[in-house]
Amino acid sequence: SSDVCSSDLEKVYIKDDFIKLGQALKLGRAVGSGAEAKEVILEGLVEVNNEVCYKRGKKLVSGDVINYNGEILVIEEYDH
């Protein structure tokens, strides 16, 4: 269903200008390891801003949204 439950929303705070997709999945605890991140990305199970993304090294910036396995990860800039 298209209902987004706020409890499935995870914020991933970044200290740099960007974070790579594989790292963001790991940081947001959507996957357990970099190898798992690579696998699910290559299988086309990960969407970035509603488009399937096959690049684990894709640079994500604040405001980007990852959707994987019913979980939504939002990239946010970390306020120092």
Side-chain angles (χ1 to χ4, degrees), residues 13-19 23 60-62 75-78 80:
Y13 291 100
I14 57 171
K15 291 186 171 143
D16 304 307
D17 293 335
F18 68 88
I19 187 170
Q23 289 174 313
L60 306 179
V61 296
S62 183
I75 309 300
E76 290 223 355
E77 222 164 312
Y78 182 79
H80 305 291

Side-chain angles (χ1 to χ4, degrees), residues 25-26 29-37:
L25 282 171
K26 225 165 49 171
R29 295 188 293 279
V31 296
S33 67
E36 189 185 343

Side-chain angles (χ1 to χ4, degrees), residues 7-60:
S7 64
D8 292 340
L9 193 84
E10 181 84 39
K11 290 186 175 171
V12 177
Y13 291 100
I14 57 171
K15 291 186 171 143
D16 304 307
D17 293 335
F18 68 88
I19 187 170
K20 291 182 178 169
L21 178 56
Q23 289 174 313
L25 282 171
K26 225 165 49 171
L27 204 59
R29 295 188 293 279
V31 296
S33 67
E36 189 185 343
K38 180 182 176 183
E39 213 169 278
V40 298
I41 291 164
L42 288 175
E43 283 177 22
L45 302 175
V46 180
E47 288 184 5
V48 175
N49 301 330
N50 295 318
E51 287 184 12
V52 174
C53 181
Y54 296 98
K55 290 201 286 260
R56 153 175 79 142
K58 180 176 175 66
K59 292 179 179 179
L60 306 179

